Amino acid sequence: REYILSMKIRIAINLCSLLTIVFLILKLCGVINWSWWWVLSPAWIPIALVIILLIIKGILNAKVCRY
């Protein structure tokens, strides 16, 4: 079961990396006229989600420790 979860995480990371490379190439070739924030979004959105989840986990753990 842990192996399957690990594979799903790897696939998601590889997909984000692939999208980042594709968007970057399209931007540099002038095919898309997106902001650099959106071109690089497949790289920073997963990082932002992990940070948000860690903050939520920290808040929930702090509430449990109080009681």
Side-chain angles (χ1 to χ4, degrees), residues 5-52:
L5 180 61
S6 174
M7 289 301 296
K8 287 181 181 179
I9 291 172
R10 288 182 186 167
I11 290 170
I13 290 171
N14 288 337
L15 179 63
C16 290
S17 299
L18 179 64
L19 279 175
T20 301
I21 292 168
V22 169
F23 290 168
L24 184 63
I25 291 170
L26 291 173
K27 172 75 171 180
L28 293 175
C29 291
V31 176
I32 56 175
N33 191 22
W34 298 351
S35 162
W36 281 103
W37 285 103
W38 291 114
V39 172
L40 298 174
S41 66
W44 61 262
I45 288 176
I47 295 169
L49 289 175
V50 168
I51 291 171
I52 291 169

Side-chain angles (χ1 to χ4, degrees), residues 53-67:
L53 290 174
L54 288 174
I55 290 170
I56 292 171
K57 182 179 178 186
I59 291 170
L60 293 176
N61 282 344
K63 287 184 177 183
V64 169
C65 290
R66 288 185 190 172
Y67 299 108

